[in-house]
Amino acid sequence: FHILTRKVAPVQQGFYFVNDSMSADGRYLWFYCAFPPSLGRTLGVVDFQTGEVRHFPETQFSGGASPHVDPLSGDVFWDAGPSLWRRGPQTADTPHCVNSLPDDLIGARGVTRLATHLTRSANGREFFIDAKIGLQFVLGSLPVDGGDFALWHRFDRTYNHAQFSPTDPDEALFAQEIHSDPITGLTIPITNRLWIIRRGGKPRPILREPKWVTHEWWDADGKHVW
């Protein structure tokens, strides 16, 4: 492993384990940057070919651990409000909006999260979305080519950690989370953590008996969940 000794931000942190932070050729390594007391986080990248470490302040992301690195190009995707953005690892690269949730889905509500973890479909065409819109939690898929958002399901309590199957573009894993009610201030616990949904279908629990088991992720075979 490597210890990053060059600082471009007061706090530098590796990605959450669900998302690979390095390009497939090993050249680019992306990481989170923070500038306390600011609550926001941005992205930096190490270029192992040139030895440069770069910080991009325009990459402030709203999801808890949402950024996704394209393994072939080394580009990074991140969420900002209702939109998905992309930029390359070079200083001269510029960010551009890939796609956004439709206005008629959002209405006058705020979007505080587009995705917990941006994961790409097995065919590369979409990202899975577990958005928090107002008091509602929305599952769906957002095409990379700018096509229409596909709504899969809506919830009135917190479900998150959604992840596209690594082998099936029509299946996703997601989790029931501890829910903090914004009106009453009450905390509603997890009763059944692990769930699966298929495109066009209804959510179904993975386990026959409800259990609180956390930090879930797909096995590479797409048939098992760790």
Side-chain angles (χ1 to χ4, degrees):
F1 64 90
H2 298 274
I3 297 175
L4 184 59
T5 55
R6 180 176 173 187
K7 290 278 191 176
V8 292
V11 178
Q12 302 181 158
Q13 180 185 5
F15 276 26
Y16 190 75
F17 70 95
V18 169
N19 282 33
D20 194 346
S21 58
M22 182 172 275
S23 59
D25 61 5
R27 177 173 177 177
Y28 300 111
L29 174 66
W30 290 87
F31 57 94
Y32 305 153
C33 296
F35 294 81
S38 170
L39 300 178
R41 287 182 296 171
T42 51
L43 294 169
V45 66
V46 184
D47 185 337
F48 286 107
Q49 181 171 302
T50 65
E52 294 177 274
V53 183
R54 310 177 186 112
H55 171 243
F56 303 118
E58 73 274 20
T59 58
Q60 182 169 323
F61 55 96
S62 52
S66 62
H68 172 91
V69 176
D70 184 284
L72 298 181
S73 67
D75 290 3
V76 70
F77 294 83
W78 74 96
D79 68 328
S83 300
L84 177 66
W85 288 78
R86 178 178 188 165
R87 71 154 291 141
Q90 300 297 327
T91 302
D93 294 333
T94 56
H96 68 274
C97 184
V98 175
N99 208 341
S100 300
L101 297 179
D103 291 340
D104 59 359
L105 175 70
I106 300 169
R109 300 177 295 177
V111 180
T112 53
R113 181 188 73 232
L114 185 67
T116 314
H117 320 290
L118 284 168
T119 55
R120 203 159 177 175
S121 58
N123 58 19
R125 297 173 183 171
E126 300 171 294
F127 279 98
F128 204 80
I129 302 303
D130 57 1
K132 183 179 180 182
I133 305 173
L135 302 182
Q136 200 169 62
F137 299 84
V138 175
L139 300 184
S141 51
L142 194 64
V144 179
D145 65 2
D148 293 340
F149 171 74
L151 177 65
W152 289 33
H153 202 76
R154 304 174 196 250
F155 294 97
D156 292 326
R157 65 154 293 162
T158 307
Y159 284 88
N160 58 11
H161 292 283
Q163 302 160 48
F164 252 134
S165 163
T167 59
D168 187 345
D170 295 317
E171 188 168 56
L173 165 71
F174 67 100
Q176 185 185 94
E177 187 60 273
I178 298 170
H179 180 72
S180 301
D181 190 284
I183 297 174
T184 65
L186 296 176
T187 297
I188 301 170
I190 295 169
T191 56
N192 198 7
R193 173 76 177 187
L194 303 176
W195 294 77
I196 291 284
I197 188 170
R198 290 197 61 79
R199 190 188 304 265
K202 295 181 179 180
R204 61 177 179 86
I206 292 178
L207 302 177
R208 292 192 184 100
E209 297 294 327
K211 287 189 177 181
W212 184 348
V213 286
T214 63
H215 290 76
E216 57 288 309
W217 69 98
W218 283 104
D219 189 274
D221 65 10
K223 298 178 181 178
H224 301 84
V225 171
W226 289 89

